[in-house]
Amino acid sequence: FIAAGVGVVAEPETHQYTLSAASNDRYIVLGSDGIFEFIENDEIIEMVEKCSRPKDACKLLIDESRKRWQIEEGDVIDDCTVVVIFLTFPDCTV
């Protein structure tokens, strides 16, 4: 109840999307609002594209998020949690 008083909600924002090799889907980025507060989606894509491993992409996103939080908010840094999943699709012949 205390957290709800400062804006914490128990309902996550969700989206449904069908993944496919044809749509050129390469990765999934799941993160807390602390990641997306000061980094735009296009920037996140550029950052993940630079990485060869999901672990490196996570570290880059977290480090950049924390840096931007410090610039914008000083001592206040929101939770910065992220999971990056690289996708591979097997070649299929019908």
Side-chain angles (χ1 to χ4, degrees), residues 57-68:
C58 289
K59 180 164 180 15
L60 181 62
L61 290 169
I62 290 169
D63 289 349
E64 183 63 24
S65 294
R66 291 181 57 81
K67 182 175 106 181
R68 292 187 189 194

Side-chain angles (χ1 to χ4, degrees), residues 62-80:
I62 290 169
D63 289 349
E64 183 63 24
S65 294
R66 291 181 57 81
K67 182 175 106 181
R68 292 187 189 194
W69 269 95
Q70 287 178 320
I71 291 168
E72 296 293 329
E73 301 291 336
D75 293 335
V76 176
I77 299 177
D78 197 4
D79 171 53
C80 296

Side-chain angles (χ1 to χ4, degrees), residues 3 14 21 23 29 34 43 48 51 54 63-64 67 85:
T14 62
S23 65
V29 178
E43 289 180 278
V48 172
C51 300
D63 289 349
E64 183 63 24
K67 182 175 106 181
I85 303 164

Side-chain angles (χ1 to χ4, degrees), residues 27 29 43-51 57 61 84 86:
Y27 43 81
V29 178
E43 289 180 278
I44 288 174
I45 291 168
E46 289 175 17
M47 294 169 74
V48 172
E49 289 284 336
K50 294 177 183 177
C51 300
L61 290 169
V84 176
F86 282 16

Side-chain angles (χ1 to χ4, degrees), residues 77-94:
I77 299 177
D78 197 4
D79 171 53
C80 296
T81 302
V82 68
V83 175
V84 176
I85 303 164
F86 282 16
L87 303 174
T88 57
F89 294 93
D91 291 331
C92 298
T93 55
V94 179

